[in-house]
Amino acid sequence: MTDSHVSPAGDEPELLRDQFRQLLRYRWLIGGGIGIGLIGGAYLGITSADSYAATSDIVVRTPTTNPFDSSTAPDKSVNMNTERQTALSSNVAQIAAKKLKDGTSARTLKKGLQVTTPPQSLTLRFTYTADSPEAAARGANALADAYLSASEKKWSDLRDSMVARLKKQIDPLGKQQNELAQQLDAMTKGTSAYDAQQTANVNLKSRISTLQNQRDTLMGLDMAAGSVTQEATPPTGSDGLGLVISLALGGAFGIAFGLLAAWVRLVFDPSPRSTGDVARAVRAPVLGSLPRGAAKGLLAVDQTGSRTAEEYRSIAFRLAYDARFADRRRLLVVAARDASAQAATSVATNLAASFAETGKDVLLVEADLRAPGLSARLHTTAGRPGWSLPADNDDNGWPGTRPLTVDAGEAGSFDLVAGQRVRNVARALTSTRTTQLIEDADESGSTVVVLAPPVLSYADALALVDRVDGVVIVCDLRSVHRTELVRIRELIVGAGGTVLGAVTHDEGGHPARDKGAAKGSGRRAAGSELPPPAPRPAPPVEQRLGDGTETVTLRQLRPEDLRTGDKR
């Protein structure tokens, strides 16, 4: 039996469409991302509408004696990264603030300043952003002049320091040379002492001359750090992108962010993303997907032209053509979690009606002995003799009542063995009487559908697996996890059963509310402390005269009748 819900591995367009549909499950994330992007774009468009940027360019150079000397490459003596850091320093901003004299702080100037260096050039581009065109132009020019002043002062201070150190060297040498000159005047020429003193004097004069030449060279340097090639002028338009473009960019960013958030949520979502995930988890086909809200109704097959009814008929036909079910015709319908218990009841009831519609003798067994109540929700009448019930030799050997006949409208009718509360559920489900009742499906034209509690809540369904073999899992894509489906399949296979397929439904409820409801149901079932809800009154049973084949028997008094106060 193949599964038409799983896309072929080579159908890439279909896989992409499936992934996109899965992302659309998280519309609130995508919508939130778009909303954040639009808000950010609107803020950017509004805040940048009154901002103006002016630009001033400076060509940087180092101090030199001959600016026309081409022997030294300027780009080898200037580090533009260092000059850019100098232009962005707080010292330059403070100098510019003093030049403006309009109350603009150095912090404001530094915040609105941007310095860039065009590639392969010695140019510093000062871009200053302000609230008005005039303020932007004044700020850019002031910052450029402040940079030139700071750089020139830096080089001038360095030159003055070097000149001062040379002067400290020249002064002692000058005094020494004067002393030597006086000694030479007092000595006789031509002697060896005179010649030695003359040589020392000449060397001293040469050293003094060298130092003086270095000082003169430093004093002759041009200390200008650069020149302004373009002065800033008031801009004619704002520097912002505009509200429309900002909203467009914000919307595009929001869509990308929303899709990314939805993808991350999809990756870490433990619930099945599609029916294909369910089929892979249970290793069986998805027999059908109920329309939204279909699980809330109990019997839909009797509705003519109903989409839900046709879906149930489709599921029934798929099971009928499955060789694993056709051999024994015993079907166990079980919910994955408590949130799908109502849906499992609807699936079991409608499958029984669908099989009855095809002419089968169908028996629906309500194996939920913890909170029974299916007979009170269906239109039932007195049962007809056709299903053999063994003698009741044990109080825990359910079933002990005669099957009821359920009227399914145009689909016909089927029999129901209603569940009842017992002292020991496990003993009742594994009793000989239950086994013999289920084995009635071996007769020609008979089918038995068994409804059990959720697998992950109780072990009741596992106690029936080896008697029924074929299991249909009913799950809600929003409340069940993939790991839970894998666990359910392992439990069923380990108990000797076979998973024929799964039926999915989506009630569209809030996941948190469904989870809370499931927890509450689990607490009630685990302790069995709270009494079951009062069943709705059953419709009046049609009184029929016997035809001689039925006998009158004493009414059986059940323990629950005593608990509910039934004195009839």
Side-chain angles (χ1 to χ4, degrees):
M1 191 171 184
T2 60
D3 179 19
S4 60
H5 293 275
V6 181
S7 302
D11 193 0
E12 294 296 336
E14 182 63 27
L15 291 177
L16 292 176
R17 285 192 292 269
D18 182 63
Q19 292 178 1
F20 184 74
R21 286 193 296 267
Q22 294 171 13
L23 287 177
L24 291 180
R25 292 173 55 189
Y26 308 103
R27 296 182 181 89
W28 60 276
L29 278 177
I30 300 176
I34 295 175
I36 293 175
L38 291 177
I39 293 174
Y43 175 79
L44 178 63
I46 293 174
T47 55
S48 63
D50 295 333
S51 62
Y52 299 87
T55 302
S56 179
D57 293 343
I58 292 178
V59 175
V60 181
R61 67 181 182 87
T62 57
T64 180
T65 55
N66 183 8
F68 303 103
D69 186 8
S70 60
S71 60
T72 303
D75 56 344
K76 300 299 182 181
S77 58
V78 178
N79 189 332
M80 295 304 297
N81 289 328
T82 302
E83 297 302 323
R84 181 176 176 273
Q85 295 299 324
T86 302
L88 291 171
S89 64
S90 300
N91 186 28
V92 172
Q94 292 174 359
I95 297 174
K98 294 178 180 179
K99 289 179 176 292
L100 286 175
K101 298 179 181 180
D102 58 356
T104 306
S105 63
R107 183 177 180 181
T108 303
L109 290 173
K110 188 176 180 181
K111 183 179 179 181
L113 175 63
Q114 182 180 6
V115 180
T116 58
T117 302
Q120 304 298 326
S121 69
L122 297 176
T123 301
L124 287 178
R125 180 162 295 165
F126 290 76
T127 303
Y128 180 70
T129 304
D131 296 337
S132 64
E134 293 76 11
R138 288 195 305 269
N141 290 327
L143 288 166
D145 293 340
Y147 165 76
L148 293 177
S149 299
S151 298
E152 186 174 349
K153 185 178 183 301
K154 179 185 68 174
W155 292 116
S156 297
D157 292 343
L158 179 59
R159 181 193 62 180
D160 294 343
S161 176
M162 295 179 66
V163 169
R165 285 197 298 269
L166 290 174
K167 186 176 183 301
K168 288 180 180 180
Q169 296 179 23
I170 292 174
D171 290 344
L173 294 177
K175 291 180 181 181
Q176 186 179 356
Q177 193 271 333
N178 291 334
E179 292 176 356
L180 287 177
Q182 293 176 1
Q183 293 175 5
L184 286 174
D185 292 341
M187 295 177 66
T188 303
K189 297 181 179 180
T191 61
S192 58
Y194 180 84
D195 292 340
Q197 196 74 3
Q198 182 67 25
T199 302
N201 188 25
V202 171
N203 292 336
L204 191 58
K205 285 183 177 181
S206 176
R207 186 177 179 186
I208 292 173
S209 177
T210 301
L211 293 175
Q212 288 178 343
N213 289 335
Q214 293 178 1
R215 183 186 62 181
D216 295 340
T217 301
L218 290 174
M219 295 299 295
L221 288 176
D222 183 6
M223 305 307 297
S227 59
V228 178
T229 59
Q230 178 182 348
E231 290 187 356
T233 58
T236 57
S238 64
D239 187 51
L241 297 176
L243 184 60
V244 177
I245 298 179
S246 298
L247 287 176
L249 292 177
F253 173 79
I255 293 175
F257 178 75
L259 289 175
L260 177 62
W263 178 80
V264 173
R265 179 68 178 86
L266 180 65
V267 170
F268 293 98
D269 188 5
S271 61
R273 295 187 290 265
S274 63
T275 55
D277 286 349
V278 176
R280 285 186 288 270
V282 301
R283 297 185 184 179
V286 175
L287 301 173
S289 298
L290 301 181
R292 177 168 296 186
K296 297 179 180 179
L298 189 59
L299 195 58
V301 176
D302 60 343
Q303 300 176 8
T304 305
S306 172
R307 176 187 171 190
T308 304
E310 294 303 323
E311 186 68 23
Y312 282 123
R313 292 188 180 97
S314 175
I315 297 172
F317 276 113
R318 294 191 69 175
L319 288 172
Y321 286 106
D322 191 339
R324 296 171 296 180
F325 173 74
D327 289 342
R328 304 190 65 177
R329 298 182 305 283
R330 302 173 185 172
L331 180 64
L332 176 64
V333 179
V334 63
R337 299 184 64 173
D338 290 334
S340 299
Q342 172 63 29
T345 303
S346 300
V347 171
T349 305
N350 284 278
L351 285 181
S354 298
F355 288 132
E357 192 175 18
T358 61
K360 300 288 185 181
D361 292 333
V362 182
L363 176 64
L364 175 60
V365 180
E366 184 187 10
D368 187 355
L369 307 183
R370 303 179 186 272
L374 185 57
S375 60
R377 302 170 57 190
L378 294 172
H379 183 66
T380 59
T381 58
R384 57 196 175 203
W387 300 93
S388 60
L389 293 180
D392 188 1
N393 298 323
D394 187 359
D395 292 341
N396 292 328
W398 171 90
T401 60
R402 190 172 188 175
L404 303 174
T405 299
V406 179
D407 183 8
E410 295 184 0
S413 62
F414 58 90
D415 293 327
L416 168 67
V417 174
Q420 62 181 7
R421 292 184 179 274
V422 296
R423 293 190 182 92
N424 192 322
V425 175
R427 184 179 300 175
L429 294 176
T430 57
S431 65
T432 304
R433 302 180 66 223
T434 304
T435 302
Q436 292 178 359
L437 177 65
I438 296 176
E439 287 179 352
D440 284 344
D442 292 338
E443 299 180 3
S444 177
S446 300
T447 301
V448 173
V449 180
V450 182
L451 173 63
V455 180
L456 298 179
S457 299
Y458 308 100
D460 299 0
L462 301 180
L464 298 168
V465 164
D466 59 341
R467 295 164 176 79
V468 179
D469 292 341
V471 181
V472 172
I473 302 172
V474 182
C475 61
D476 185 357
L477 296 180
R478 292 179 177 267
S479 63
V480 73
H481 295 171
R482 291 189 295 271
T483 55
E484 293 175 343
L485 291 175
V486 174
R487 176 62 176 164
I488 290 172
R489 177 192 171 276
E490 292 175 350
L491 291 174
I492 293 174
V493 174
T498 302
V499 179
L500 298 179
V503 176
T504 62
H505 67 97
D506 182 8
E507 297 304 318
H510 194 277
R513 184 170 62 249
D514 295 342
K515 184 177 180 181
K519 288 183 178 180
S521 176
R523 288 193 297 266
R524 292 193 299 270
S528 297
E529 298 176 356
L530 298 178
R536 293 180 298 179
V541 179
E542 180 182 358
Q543 300 294 332
R544 298 180 302 168
L545 297 177
D547 55 358
T549 61
E550 299 180 1
T551 60
V552 180
T553 61
L554 295 177
R555 178 179 180 274
Q556 180 182 6
L557 185 62
R558 297 176 295 178
E560 61 269 25
D561 295 334
L562 296 178
R563 287 196 296 269
T564 57
D566 190 357
K567 301 297 176 108
R568 294 180 298 173

